[in-house]
Amino acid sequence: MNATRGLLKVLLWIEIAVCVLTLFVGSGALVADVIAREFFGNGIFGAQRFAVWATAISGLVGFALVTAERGHLRPQFTDKWLPASWDPHMERISDIVSAIICIALGWYAIEFVKSSYALGERGMAIPIKLWPIQLILPWMFFSSAIRHVVFAAFPVLRPEPKGEMH
Amino acid sequence: MDWLILLGLIVLLLLLRQSLVLVLAVATAYIHVFIAKSKIDYLIQDFWFTVDREVLLSIPLFMLAGNIMSKGSIAKRLIGIMATLTSPIPGGLGIACVLSCAAFAAINGSSIVTMLAIGSIMYPALVAKGYKKEFALGAVASAGTLGIIIPPSIPLILYGIMTERNIAHLFVAGIGPGLLLTLLFSAYALYMNRHMPREQLTLKAALESFFGGIFALLLPFILIGGIYFGWFSPTEAGAMGLAYALLIEFLIHEKDGAQPAPAGAGALQKVRHYFATREMHLKEFYEVLLETVKLLATLLPLLCIAGSLNTILDHSGAPKQMVQALVGTIEDRWVLMFMINVLLLIVGCLMDVGSAILILAPLLEPLAVAKGFDPIHFGIIMIANLEIGYLTPPVGLNLIVAMAAFKESFVRITKACIPFVIIMLFWLVIVATVPSLSLYLVGK
């Protein structure tokens, strides 16, 4: 379990670094673009496109960060429809089902990236190949799936939820 | 039959305690495969096409700027000015609470951020000054909702994205209703606290609070003025707001109780001391960035799935059929508007504002437009309804967050908000029936 805890910590650290950095540089690029346009008459070439991708990386990789702290919005009104004695099992079942859904979505995300790679899709304004950026899609789902599997296997590693909706 | 199975699937997933984003993802995948007879692959494609758009850029900017303003001292300085200006009025601090929320709402786009930023200072101050706890709780929780109607507003951006309407027009249309609600809340605060003692306003105190908060006070004028006069697009306004907030919190605003630089310090030491005594440092900035990432990551996947759902429903023609059926069935446009309002008020009790907009805006807007309502006006009506949802149980987010922030019971806060909800319902009637309140500034 300690090894798993360590693995989750490293994963969390990497994802925090990626998300914070991309949000910072993406917002910085936009601010610089607007200031350049307002005060010098010309914006910065490609800044908006760069910011779009940076925001996408930050927001989608961040999906896994929110999973890590169980912060996704969850409607709770159906919780009372099942007997309270089922509660301890329900947490585990919930994580297993979430993991299955995330793995399925991750699989389709890989298919999407493969097709983008095969077609050689490139970005507008900045014509780089898109598939390396699109890898965030499988990443967000598989990283979340890993967390759900770990929470189901080791409930002690599951944090208190933050995103419950009453 | 397919729709019944879908409903059953959603209930099953909710029973299995799945998060909203996963429930919506599975439901959308089901619609793709079994109802629209397409492929799940398109769901992932839509995910990418949704995030790969410039129109989304204003969202992280306003989120980040709002969090910086909340973490720094902008909220505190705005409160200082409002409290000083309203001190000669009986119950002035109550009015100051409402006005501070309105001013803070004009520089950030979130209800929760507005309530926490102003409420964390105003609630203890109101209670310490002898205002009733019920009034104080109701005022901070309710005036906090001004955050989503007074521009900039993240829900208005979401509405604009989902219905492909001009976000700048939506922002401008929110000004009139936002000011009216501020006026109504202020009048209620004045009436409820009319027996509270007045305080003397001295020129010295007025000047001190004014100069202490001048940079914070300029921000609403820059943002709203910039959008109204067409100097900035919403994204540019977000970028300017962010740059301005960073500038004044990192370089200008001084921390409370900061000591002057030691006598005889060299120039370099003085510069170091200057930066050390500012409101925000890199550590706080990192925390703000991380907080913003989490907010963005909660919203963005929901937006992607809603985008896919919207595309596939549009492709299947279902919303068009629904609009035609309802428009044919309900003849009177005001009966339809009444029904939409009731639906939105109920939805506001059960769902968060963002999810409600993402799911319902593309369905309801064509309906309202088909009956002759202006789409921008309808956007404001929708946001006004959902704004009330912040204060209605069981999923009134301001109630839930206020419960945690002010350490009071859910029931007590809910009861405290009842008079304010009644005022908001009266306001909603005006907003819905007087289109010029929203559209006059848009020039329609």
Side-chain angles (χ1 to χ4, degrees):
Chain A
M1 192 175 72
N2 283 340
T4 312
R5 195 197 303 262
L7 174 81
L8 285 192
K9 266 190 182 171
V10 172
L11 189 59
L12 185 72
W13 186 86
I14 293 170
E15 284 169 346
I16 286 177
V18 169
C19 292
V20 168
L21 195 68
T22 48
L23 182 65
F24 176 70
V25 293
S27 307
L30 269 182
V31 170
D33 180 49
V34 172
I35 290 173
R37 201 175 323 137
E38 293 293 330
F39 296 101
F40 305 109
N42 277 321
I44 299 168
F45 172 76
Q48 292 228 351
R49 191 87 309 255
F50 175 76
V52 166
W53 291 332
T55 303
I57 294 170
S58 180
L60 295 185
V61 175
F63 178 84
L65 279 185
V66 182
T67 304
E69 61 173 27
R70 296 180 73 205
H72 288 296
L73 298 170
R74 186 177 80 77
Q76 279 186 300
F77 64 92
T78 50
D79 287 7
K80 288 174 189 157
W81 296 2
L82 296 175
S85 59
W86 291 19
D87 273 4
H89 310 292
M90 286 313 296
E91 294 280 317
R92 240 175 191 176
I93 294 169
S94 157
D95 275 318
I96 293 168
V97 174
S98 297
I100 293 169
I101 296 171
C102 286
I103 289 168
L105 291 170
W107 187 81
Y108 281 103
I110 286 183
E111 291 298 310
F112 170 70
V113 178
K114 272 164 63 182
S115 109
S116 170
Y117 175 81
L119 292 169
E121 280 180 10
R122 288 174 183 272
M124 289 176 292
I126 306 176
I128 56 167
K129 287 201 172 170
L130 285 177
W131 69 265
I133 305 171
Q134 289 167 339
L135 279 173
I136 55 170
L137 291 166
W139 182 352
M140 69 183 270
F141 291 123
F142 284 123
S143 174
S144 291
I146 289 171
R147 260 122 186 171
H148 286 300
V149 169
V150 170
F151 295 158
F154 307 108
V156 71
L157 295 181
R158 181 192 297 128
E160 283 299 308
K162 281 191 176 174
E164 309 264 284
M165 291 158 67
H166 299 272
Chain B
M1 188 62 188
D2 284 336
W3 291 101
L4 271 180
I5 295 173
L6 175 65
L7 187 67
L9 184 65
I10 291 171
V11 172
L12 178 69
L13 289 169
L14 289 174
L15 280 171
L16 290 170
R17 302 187 179 184
Q18 296 306 294
S19 60
L20 186 64
V21 65
L22 292 186
V23 172
L24 285 176
V26 173
T28 308
Y30 179 90
I31 292 173
H32 270 283
V33 176
F34 295 103
I35 295 174
K37 310 291 180 206
S38 74
K39 293 191 287 184
I40 297 183
D41 307 49
Y42 294 130
L43 170 64
I44 304 296
Q45 270 189 28
D46 292 339
F47 237 84
W48 176 254
F49 294 142
T50 304
V51 294
D52 196 30
R53 292 193 297 170
E54 272 88 354
V55 72
L56 294 183
L57 287 176
S58 54
I59 295 177
L61 290 173
F62 281 121
M63 280 180 172
L64 187 54
N67 282 342
I68 288 169
M69 292 166 198
S70 168
K71 189 100 177 170
S73 67
I74 289 176
K76 193 173 66 189
R77 287 165 197 270
L78 285 175
I79 289 172
I81 293 175
M82 299 304 170
T84 310
L85 289 179
T86 55
S87 59
I89 306 169
L93 201 60
I95 299 171
C97 174
V98 175
L99 295 180
S100 303
C101 283
F104 199 73
I107 53 179
N108 93 98
S110 156
S111 169
I112 301 290
V113 170
T114 304
M115 184 187 73
L116 287 177
I118 303 297
S120 58
I121 301 167
M122 263 300 179
Y123 176 62
L126 284 166
V127 174
K129 286 273 184 184
Y131 287 75
K132 283 184 187 163
K133 259 193 175 183
E134 267 61 31
F135 169 79
L137 282 170
V140 293
S142 310
T145 66
L146 287 166
I148 67 162
I149 192 78
I150 295 180
S153 154
I154 291 170
L156 281 174
I157 297 173
L158 291 178
Y159 178 87
I161 292 170
M162 294 309 293
T163 58
E164 297 183 350
R165 297 293 170 191
N166 187 317
I167 295 171
H169 283 177
L170 285 163
F171 276 7
V172 174
I175 296 174
L179 290 179
L180 176 65
L181 187 58
T182 306
L183 190 71
L184 292 174
F185 279 164
S186 300
Y188 176 71
L190 177 64
Y191 175 75
M192 285 304 289
N193 304 299
R194 60 194 180 281
H195 301 305
M196 294 295 288
R198 299 163 183 236
E199 285 176 30
Q200 205 181 358
L201 173 64
T202 62
L203 184 65
K204 186 173 173 255
L207 288 176
E208 259 176 23
S209 64
F210 179 75
F211 286 113
I214 179 71
F215 291 104
L217 196 61
L218 280 175
L219 197 45
F221 292 103
I222 294 172
L223 288 189
I224 295 188
I227 294 168
Y228 178 71
F229 290 111
W231 300 332
F232 307 138
S233 68
T235 304
E236 288 169 338
M240 290 308 284
L242 174 61
Y244 189 86
L246 281 172
L247 190 76
I248 60 178
E249 296 293 29
F250 266 99
L251 299 180
I252 296 172
H253 284 166
E254 191 180 51
K255 263 189 182 153
D256 274 347
Q259 300 293 320
L268 191 64
Q269 261 184 313
K270 277 185 180 165
V271 171
R272 266 194 203 155
H273 177 270
Y274 181 83
F275 284 109
T277 52
R278 296 308 98 185
E279 273 293 343
M280 188 163 275
H281 303 106
L282 287 178
K283 184 174 170 287
E284 283 97 0
F285 185 48
Y286 163 78
E287 286 165 6
V288 166
L289 279 169
L290 187 55
E291 196 55 41
T292 309
V293 163
K294 288 175 187 170
L295 271 175
L296 183 66
T298 310
L299 182 67
L300 203 56
L302 277 173
L303 191 62
C304 293
I305 292 167
S308 182
L309 190 61
N310 193 17
T311 308
I312 196 70
L313 284 177
D314 202 32
H315 185 70
S316 72
K320 211 173 177 181
Q321 287 166 14
M322 187 193 80
V323 169
Q324 280 168 350
L326 282 173
V327 167
T329 314
I330 305 165
E331 284 188 4
D332 191 321
R333 65 199 291 256
W334 289 109
V335 172
L336 180 79
M337 181 50 71
F338 177 75
M339 288 170 68
I340 289 177
N341 277 268
V342 171
L343 171 74
L344 288 171
L345 288 172
I346 294 169
V347 164
C349 296
L350 302 172
M351 284 174 93
D352 76 289
V353 175
S355 313
I357 293 168
L358 299 179
I359 296 167
L360 292 176
L363 295 175
L364 296 179
E365 194 239 22
L367 203 57
V369 172
K371 281 291 182 186
F373 290 96
D374 183 273
I376 301 291
H377 178 216
F378 182 71
I380 299 299
I381 294 173
M382 185 161 186
I383 302 299
N385 273 283
L386 297 175
E387 186 180 343
I388 297 172
Y390 270 106
L391 300 174
T392 47
V395 191
L397 277 187
N398 273 27
L399 302 176
I400 295 166
V401 176
M403 183 174 69
F406 309 128
K407 309 277 182 279
E408 294 290 348
S409 76
F410 188 75
V411 175
R412 187 172 197 182
I413 297 170
T414 306
K415 278 185 183 167
C417 289
I418 290 173
F420 291 92
V421 171
I422 293 169
I423 292 170
M424 290 175 86
L425 288 171
F426 170 67
W427 165 74
L428 175 63
V429 173
I430 299 174
V431 170
T433 54
V434 185
S436 56
L437 179 67
S438 309
L439 299 178
Y440 177 74
L441 289 176
V442 186
K444 286 191 174 183

